[in-house]
Amino acid sequence: MAPRHEKKQVIIVGGGVTGLTLALTLQHLGIDWVLLEAYGSVVPAVGSGIGLYANGLRILDQLGIYHKVAASGQTTESMNYIDGTSGELIMRRVMKSLMVKRHGYINMFLPRSALLGIMYDAIIDKERIVCNQKVKRVETTEHSAFVYTEDGTIFEGQIVVGADGSRSTVRREMWRNADEQEPGWIPEQDRENKPCEHMCLFASAAPVKGISAGDLVGSALPGKAVGLMCNPDNSIFWFWFWTVPPSMRSVSLDQIPRPSEEDIQRELASCGNAIVSATGIHMSDLVQTMEYQGATALPNYVLKRWHHGRIVILGDAAHLFNPLVGQGANSCLESAAALANVLHEHLGPEVGKTNSWPLRKLSTAFASIEELRVSRLEFMVNRCQEAMRMVAWESWFPKFMLKRVAPLLPLSKFLNSYSDLIVDGVALNDRFPPTAAPHEWPYPEERSDQTGYSVGAKAGAVGAALAATAIALSFAGSGWKNLHIGISNLSS
Ligand SMILES: Cc1cc2nc3c(=O)[nH]c(=O)nc-3n(C[C@H](O)[C@H](O)[C@H](O)COP(=O)(O)OP(=O)(O)OC[C@H]3O[C@@H](n4cnc5c(N)ncnc54)[C@H](O)[C@@H]3O)c2cc1C
């Protein structure tokens, strides 16, 4: 029997945040798509919490699902930094009103499964989502791209989008196609090992007295950290991070390691003494009622090349964040929006009605995504990595900066390190409804010069250092000169 062969314009591989966001944008643009997911459902029954910021929320708003997300989410009421060894409250920041004023939306968090469920519900033609279809091979040719799945089905499309996460098969296949057809296309840098300084395990826990809905906690310890968010019902999502030995801090993208059972048991046994509130709640109080969700290594990267031929990669397949700050999924939303925008811009408003998308136009369109996204993402990924180092401190310097310098910052300066990650975000173009939320800091499409707005991105070394001081504190490691300049400018 001949294998089943289906034709669509866009074949999306992967039904996570990136794949579902893209599916919703294509639905709106009238483009014919199918989404292939390896597992039996795109809405997992379990999972951790996911934090959303204005850069992601405004895209959800344009897609018409913001109100549902907001109804299921918990807004961030306060951020509490604790010395995890002594229990000292380093600082408590209430950021809600200033963030709304600046960016139009307040940060919130909700279970990842709830976000995916809301996205899935908004898909009109659910048959376009095909589960239990694990992709094993991809081919790109002059006129079509072909996707082969493990059950023998072949999907043919104008483009294939790898939204299949950090262990992406589509990325591997894109590299193979490029090596065969255009050796040298993939920069060596992309294939080099990537830094992986931390691992984490994540779980949920029953309510504990002293941590209430909307509290975010960052508890800092030598080489370890706790991140914690408290849900509307006072249940808790928590993350335990640990720094890996120097010999393990470089990983191949083809073989991203997983924490071993021994790692997990060791960390669970040792995390109990960490203090997560000024009232003396210990991690052991949370471990007692824990529902274990998973553990993962935390490499970080931004690849330079996202496309070859008719294949393009997005989301964690192309850019991976340390999750402590919570910009990974928000950036997936932005990258999916960027692809929808360029398809419309480069192939014209009739893009949904034609089945011959010229390769030349696609190459230009895909290259423009890299141009738009790579430098912003490098800035963001570095900031988030620095934030992780600042909390899981390994030397006196980040500890001093977090405990003694950051608390001196006025709220507006403290929040710059969050705003910097938000304000240059990509939104969907004018084929989608504009967002109405009033805000003081203009987004890129509202600025005439289109240059980066973020304090850190535009201000050079000293400004960047200042902007980062609050949590990312990006002058960590840049020595006494910046430290001195930074401190003398704190109140300006
Ligand atoms: C512990 C933790 C906490 C986080 N917290 C936050 C947060 O608070 N805020 C935030 O913004 N981000 C957060 N992130 C990051 C965020 O979760 C990710 O950036 C985002 O979910 C990635 O989405 P994705 O769709 O690109 O990839 P994934 O979520 O990995 O989805 C990929 C999908 O592709 C499927 N797939 C894989 N291979 C194949 C194949 N061969 N064929 C078919 N399907 C395939 C997978 O089954 C999966 O469904 C966190 C990450 C972690 C690990």
Side-chain angles (χ1 to χ4, degrees):
M1 197 169 74
R4 199 173 115 211
H5 188 142
E6 288 193 19
K7 272 190 173 185
K8 296 282 174 194
Q9 287 178 306
V10 178
I11 320 288
I12 305 170
V13 181
V17 173
T18 307
L20 286 174
T21 306
L22 183 64
L24 288 170
T25 65
L26 300 182
Q27 170 175 285
H28 184 91
L29 291 173
I31 292 175
D32 191 22
W33 58 274
V34 65
L35 185 152
L36 311 178
E37 167 55 46
Y39 287 97
S41 165
V42 293
V43 186
V46 292
S48 66
I50 204 157
L52 295 169
Y53 291 90
N55 52 322
L57 289 168
R58 70 188 190 122
I59 294 171
L60 296 172
D61 203 0
Q62 290 187 285
L63 291 171
I65 53 176
Y66 167 73
H67 58 287
K68 285 198 175 164
V69 171
S72 304
Q74 169 63 55
T75 55
T76 303
E77 300 298 329
S78 70
M79 302 195 58
N80 305 274
Y81 289 84
I82 307 284
D83 180 326
T85 310
S86 66
E88 172 197 344
L89 176 66
I90 298 171
M91 61 185 150
R92 178 180 171 83
R93 301 290 192 167
V94 178
M95 58 206 292
K96 197 169 175 171
S97 55
L98 193 52
M99 288 304 267
V100 176
K101 209 168 147 196
R102 282 182 177 180
H103 307 297
Y105 300 90
I106 176 64
N107 319 345
M108 61 182 68
F109 50 88
L110 74 169
R112 179 172 172 273
S113 56
L115 175 63
L116 294 173
I118 292 167
M119 290 178 151
Y120 178 70
D121 285 348
I123 301 286
I124 297 164
D125 182 358
K126 304 262 191 300
E127 289 192 355
R128 289 178 183 274
I129 295 186
V130 189
C131 292
N132 297 311
Q133 282 288 2
K134 187 164 187 186
V135 170
K136 61 173 189 183
R137 189 175 174 87
V138 179
E139 298 291 344
T140 172
T141 68
E142 177 67 25
H143 299 292
S144 286
F146 298 89
V147 174
Y148 301 84
T149 67
E150 282 191 342
D151 75 355
T153 308
I154 303 168
F155 292 86
E156 182 180 349
Q158 289 299 306
I159 63 170
V160 176
V161 183
D164 52 345
S166 56
R167 297 166 198 274
S168 171
T169 301
V170 177
R171 181 180 64 217
R172 184 198 71 206
E173 288 296 288
M174 181 179 89
W175 288 358
R176 184 184 60 74
N177 276 261
D179 290 347
E180 287 169 11
Q181 298 168 5
E182 216 173 334
W185 175 255
I186 304 298
E188 273 313 306
Q189 214 179 328
D190 283 3
R191 300 181 203 253
E192 284 167 3
N193 276 12
K194 303 296 172 227
C196 179
E197 293 164 58
H198 305 93
M199 291 189 173
C200 85
L201 59 86
F202 42 101
S204 54
V208 285
K209 204 160 172 258
I211 299 181
S212 34
D215 284 348
L216 281 192
V217 174
S219 173
L221 298 119
K224 317 265 180 178
V226 184
L228 177 159
M229 36 180 107
C230 188
N231 297 305
D233 62 358
N234 289 332
S235 66
I236 288 169
F237 284 127
W238 59 263
F239 304 82
W240 172 253
F241 299 88
W242 67 96
T243 311
V244 301
S247 61
M248 293 168 59
R249 292 186 189 175
S250 163
V251 302
S252 157
L253 279 191
D254 294 330
Q255 280 176 324
I256 298 175
R258 296 179 199 273
S260 64
E261 195 47 40
E262 194 189 332
D263 290 333
I264 295 167
Q265 292 310 328
R266 182 195 64 235
E267 295 301 324
L268 278 175
S270 69
C271 72
N273 288 335
I275 304 172
V276 295
S277 82
T279 55
I281 297 165
H282 283 67
M283 275 298 287
S284 53
D285 299 316
L286 305 182
V287 172
Q288 261 177 26
T289 61
M290 146 180 112
E291 268 188 52
Y292 174 75
Q293 308 279 352
T296 184
L298 300 171
N300 61 93
Y301 56 80
V302 181
L303 300 184
K304 301 272 184 206
R305 189 73 82 203
W306 294 19
H307 76 289
H308 167 70
R310 293 176 178 274
I311 307 172
V312 61
I313 54 170
L314 296 178
D316 279 11
H319 45 79
L320 192 65
F321 283 68
N322 181 291
L324 180 73
V325 175
Q327 272 290 354
N330 290 278
S331 296
C332 292
L333 280 152
E334 282 192 39
S335 290
L339 176 61
N341 289 350
V342 299
L343 286 178
H344 177 245
E345 283 155 23
H346 289 258
L347 295 160
E350 301 297 304
V351 55
K353 297 197 178 133
T354 155
N355 270 330
S356 56
W357 295 358
L359 184 54
R360 184 179 40 82
K361 287 194 179 178
L362 288 172
S363 298
T364 316
F366 294 159
S368 70
I369 303 177
E370 292 163 358
E371 205 174 310
L372 179 72
R373 299 288 294 139
V374 170
S375 59
R376 165 165 167 76
L377 282 159
E378 286 173 342
F379 167 71
M380 295 175 79
V381 165
N382 286 337
R383 274 285 179 90
C384 293
Q385 198 58 29
E386 283 155 0
M388 182 76 248
R389 291 186 197 122
M390 196 55 52
V391 185
W393 52 53
E394 281 198 280
S395 68
W396 66 270
F397 185 72
K399 181 176 179 180
F400 170 77
M401 296 306 294
L402 183 70
K403 289 191 70 171
R404 304 290 167 238
V405 179
L408 302 177
L409 289 169
L411 183 66
S412 64
K413 283 255 190 286
F414 176 82
L415 290 189
N416 282 353
S417 57
Y418 290 88
S419 290
D420 275 356
L421 303 178
I422 292 170
V423 70
D424 289 328
V426 179
L428 287 157
N429 71 11
D430 57 11
R431 281 290 296 264
F432 294 81
T435 58
H439 51 274
E440 287 181 353
W441 287 34
Y443 289 107
E445 72 279 6
E446 298 161 341
R447 305 197 292 261
S448 51
D449 62 0
Q450 301 284 309
T451 53
Y453 192 82
S454 79
V455 181
K458 72 179 176 189
V462 176
L466 279 173
T469 302
I471 178 165
L473 293 162
S474 67
F475 47 76
S478 61
W480 283 104
K481 190 168 168 234
N482 273 352
L483 173 61
H484 171 72
I485 298 167
I487 291 173
S488 63
N489 280 287
L490 285 181
S491 56
S492 61

